[in-house]
């Protein structure tokens, strides 16, 4: 009998390999949630609406005779009326919507509520603050980043506020001394302009820092830095128009901005230190 070779079975290597399972995905690849897509737009719209509402409250709570701060923020309350000629009886009389509404509140009588005046205050003062802040960030992006990083560090707001108070007191003393001299009277406007410029730069950086904080706390999606600065500047304006407390909040933000500009040397990399006096 001839020896027949045993038939070799199919090797396991020759078997068709099963495709590897696809990697597990964290979720369906769809559009981002509505909160991340429209979060910034909703936030800016809410802050702008809140600013107008607070300005309306200012016109009612401060009364017809507004103080100096209220006049600065929401504008004068005087209404200029232009006399009109007697309308002809054969023509229709068109009436305009009222610009001021007066009503009695359950807990006392409010003053005149003027939505038109509140909207004008928001479009003038609020928009002016936003434009100045965005312009400073556009002109000095590197310095603004350095200042914001310093502000977001440990004890950043406290250090900025303390430095702002000290700088304000020093500037006030310098101006008081310069008033008694005839030669250095021209230096007083320069001191005031420098202090105002430094405070505005600091306020712009504070607005950017507030926008970044809102982005982290509200879990908003990525956005342009100017959009975050816009939201932060609106927060600063809303703080300024809070009735009776807005003046304190605005002074605190201005002093913090002044101190931030001083501590960071207007956003320079080196920062401020006593070691510079020892060489």
């Amino acid at each position: 009998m001839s020896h027949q070779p045993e038939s070799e079975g199919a090797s396991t290597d020759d078997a068709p390999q099963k495709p590897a399972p696809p990697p597990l995905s964290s979720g369906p690849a769809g559009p981002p949630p509505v909160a991340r897509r429209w979060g910034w737009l909703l936030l800016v719209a809410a802050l702008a609406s809140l600013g107008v509402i607070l300005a309306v409250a200012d016109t009612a709570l401060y009364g017809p005779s507004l103080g100096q701060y209220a006049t600065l923020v929401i504008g004068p309350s005087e209404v200029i009326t232009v006399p009109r000629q007697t309308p002809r009886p054969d023509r229709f009389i068109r009436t305009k919507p009222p610009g001021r509404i007066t009503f009695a509140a359950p807990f006392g009588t409010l003053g005149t509520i003027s939505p038109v005046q509140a909207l004008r205050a928001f479009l003038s003062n609020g928009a002016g603050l936003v434009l100045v802040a965005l312009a400073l960030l556009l002109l000095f992006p590197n310095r603004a980043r350095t200042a914001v990083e310093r502000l977001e560090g440990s004890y950043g707001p406290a250090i900025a506020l303390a430095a702002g108070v000290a700088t304000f007191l020093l500037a006030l003393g310098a101006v008081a001394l310069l008033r008694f001299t005839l030669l250095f009277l021209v230096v007083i406007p320069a001191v005031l302009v420098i202090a105002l410029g430094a405070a505005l730069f600091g306020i712009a950086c504070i607005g950017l820092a507030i926008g970044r904080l809102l982005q982290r706390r509200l879990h908003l999606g990525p956005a342009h830095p100017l959009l975050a600065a816009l939201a932060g500047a609106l927060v600063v304006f809303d703080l300024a128009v809070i009735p009776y407390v807005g003046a304190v909040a605005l002074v605190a933000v201005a002093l913090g901005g002044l101190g931030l500009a001083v501590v960071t040397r207007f956003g320079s990399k080196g920062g401020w230190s006593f070691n510079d006096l020892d060489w």
Side-chain angles (χ1 to χ4, degrees):
M1 293 180 63
S2 62
H3 178 71
Q4 295 181 358
E6 296 179 358
S7 60
E8 299 178 358
S11 174
T12 56
D13 296 337
D14 299 336
Q17 301 292 333
K18 295 182 179 180
L24 297 177
S25 58
S26 59
V34 178
R36 293 180 63 87
R37 292 180 57 188
W38 303 99
W40 283 106
L41 180 61
L42 295 176
L43 178 62
V44 171
L47 291 175
S49 302
L50 181 61
V52 176
I53 293 173
L54 290 175
V56 171
D58 285 341
T59 60
L61 295 176
Y62 286 137
S65 58
L66 302 180
Q68 295 182 357
Y69 174 76
T71 305
L72 176 64
V73 174
I74 62 178
S77 61
E78 290 81 4
V79 181
I80 301 176
T81 57
V82 179
R84 298 181 179 179
Q85 298 179 356
T86 305
R88 295 172 53 184
D90 57 343
R91 299 182 63 181
F92 291 101
I93 300 176
R94 294 178 297 177
T95 59
K96 295 183 179 180
R100 295 173 176 269
I101 305 171
T102 305
F103 64 93
F107 303 102
T109 304
L110 294 178
T112 302
I113 295 179
S114 177
V116 177
Q117 187 177 6
L119 184 61
R120 182 187 63 185
F122 175 76
L123 294 178
S124 58
N125 298 333
L129 176 63
V130 169
L131 291 178
V132 170
L134 297 182
L136 290 174
L137 294 178
L138 285 174
L139 291 175
F140 310 103
N142 295 329
R143 294 180 176 273
R145 176 178 179 176
T146 303
V148 171
E149 290 177 351
R150 182 68 177 86
L151 184 64
E152 292 177 346
S154 58
Y155 304 104
I159 293 175
L161 184 59
V165 173
T167 305
F168 175 76
L169 294 177
L170 289 175
L172 192 63
V175 170
L177 290 177
L178 291 174
R179 288 181 57 188
F180 295 100
T181 62
L182 297 178
L183 183 60
F184 297 102
L185 282 178
V186 293
V187 183
I188 295 179
V191 172
L192 297 179
V193 169
I194 292 174
L196 178 61
L200 289 177
F201 172 78
I203 291 174
C205 296
I206 290 175
L208 179 57
I210 292 176
R212 289 166 54 86
L213 179 63
L214 292 175
Q215 183 180 11
R216 294 191 300 267
R217 294 298 177 88
L218 300 180
H219 303 287
L220 300 176
H224 196 276
L226 293 183
L227 182 59
L230 170 63
L234 288 176
V235 171
V236 174
F237 176 76
D238 291 347
L239 291 175
V241 293
I242 295 177
Y244 304 117
V245 188
V248 180
L250 183 60
V251 169
V253 173
L255 290 178
L258 179 61
L260 182 63
V262 171
V263 168
T264 60
R265 289 182 181 176
F266 199 74
S268 61
K269 293 291 184 181
W272 187 90
S273 175
F274 278 116
N275 294 331
D276 295 336
L277 299 178
D278 185 10
W279 70 93

